[in-house]
Amino acid sequence: MRTLLCAALLAAGLASTAHAGNLLDLAVIDRDTGQTLPTYSDAGRLYVAGTPGHRYSVRMVNRTGGRVLAVLSVDGVNAVSGQTADTNQTGYVLDAWESTEIAGWRKSLDEIAQFNFTALPNSYAARTGRPQNVGVIGVAVFTERMPAWREREAVAKDAAPPAPPVAQPSAEMQRSDSTVGAGAPASTQAAAADAAKPAPRAKAESYARSEERLGTGHGAREYAHVDQTTFERASRHPAETLAVWYDSYANLVAQGIIARPVARSEPQPFPNAFVPDPPRR
């Protein structure tokens, strides 16, 4: 087991999610409006529309009764270490049923640099020479290996008569502690492979006629303290991988992911300056 970082962040409510998984729910929050960004589905992918200049956060909700490790990738870059993302790297550990928001690139035990929507050339990935995967947020989720004594307890519990069901904690009862760190190595790169898939030709041609693509910038510093913990992965491979793609509203419309708004002819209260004569009968 390795030493991990442990974050103390505000718990988030169980709002609508961009991607509801079996182990983890994932959503993108516009921090300037406080709204959960709605999702649009296209060709098996989920998209959100970001507003240039707005700050955002990634909300993650642990749907299980045990701790999970969430390795967070933004534009193909690990949000904690700054390395080109791989699932064997450091990540955030969430306690059972915990909900938290990750609002920036980890700079130290006490600070982050805020996530914000910006033009692709200004994104952190592009500025560090890695623009290939700009426009996607991914999370690789790992469950925790139980200690031997807990495994023996689980076996004994399975052999005993079933216990009555226990109600899950409500959103108000969730803890506000979350952890960050790396567990045992993993070699899969499913999220990166999905992000690298080329867009269909028609969408690529439409995209050329749209505005500058969005990426995630390296914004202002913000206090976000972290501590340390340990976590051992139950498997070398992620138990679940989630991804949400993003771009500006105009670009998603240009690509056909969001339906183009239908222009309506609205009645005008003052269409003419003077009263004309009526037609003769």
Side-chain angles (χ1 to χ4, degrees):
M1 294 191 295
R2 298 180 182 178
T3 300
L4 312 184
L5 302 176
C6 173
L9 304 173
L10 294 177
L14 294 174
S16 58
T17 57
H19 198 317
N22 294 319
L23 304 178
L24 192 81
D25 285 350
L26 175 67
V28 181
I29 313 299
D30 185 319
R31 298 181 69 198
D32 288 347
T33 65
Q35 300 299 310
T36 300
L37 296 181
T39 58
Y40 306 90
S41 179
D42 182 74
R45 294 180 175 181
L46 292 177
Y47 293 81
V48 295
T51 302
H54 282 209
R55 301 168 302 156
Y56 77 86
S57 63
V58 179
R59 174 180 290 163
M60 297 186 291
V61 182
N62 182 2
R63 304 185 68 186
T64 77
R67 297 202 309 171
V68 297
L69 169 63
V71 180
L72 176 61
S73 165
V74 176
D75 293 350
V77 178
N78 185 292
V80 176
S81 69
Q83 299 169 286
T84 298
D86 194 311
T87 57
N88 69 345
Q89 296 165 350
T90 186
Y92 288 84
V93 178
L94 279 71
D95 279 336
W97 316 114
E98 186 183 3
S99 171
T100 193
E101 291 186 22
I102 309 304
W105 309 99
R106 173 78 26 208
K107 302 302 296 181
S108 70
L109 295 179
D110 292 317
E111 279 190 320
I112 59 171
Q114 296 172 353
F115 292 146
N116 57 63
F117 294 117
T118 187
L120 188 152
N122 296 327
S123 67
Y124 177 74
R127 291 173 64 187
T128 55
R130 297 169 289 180
Q132 297 87 351
N133 295 304
V134 169
V136 62
I137 299 166
V139 179
V141 187
F142 295 84
T143 56
E144 188 172 21
R145 182 182 300 279
M146 290 191 297
W149 64 269
R150 287 186 59 187
E151 290 181 353
R152 289 193 295 268
E153 280 190 354
V155 171
K157 184 177 179 181
D158 289 342
V166 179
Q168 296 180 4
S170 65
E172 292 76 11
M173 295 173 61
Q174 294 180 36
R175 294 179 52 191
S176 62
D177 298 333
S178 68
T179 57
V180 220
S187 59
T188 58
Q189 300 185 35
D194 285 342
K197 291 180 181 177
R201 179 184 300 273
K203 290 187 178 179
E205 293 173 352
S206 175
Y207 196 78
R209 297 191 296 272
S210 59
E211 63 187 25
E212 181 72 67
R213 286 175 56 192
L214 280 191
T216 296
H218 184 275
R221 298 295 183 96
E222 179 178 317
Y223 178 77
H225 177 70
V226 295
D227 295 313
Q228 294 185 323
T229 187
T230 57
F231 186 97
E232 185 175 0
R233 307 180 193 212
S235 170
R236 298 180 66 245
H237 305 285
E240 182 171 74
T241 302
L242 308 175
V244 177
W245 283 257
Y246 70 89
D247 208 333
S248 68
Y249 184 88
N251 284 348
L252 294 182
V253 169
Q255 296 176 74
I257 295 168
I258 299 177
R260 188 176 299 277
V262 178
R264 296 196 311 167
S265 178
E266 299 288 347
Q268 300 298 317
F270 303 103
N272 293 308
F274 301 100
V275 178
D277 293 335
R280 292 186 178 184
R281 295 184 177 179

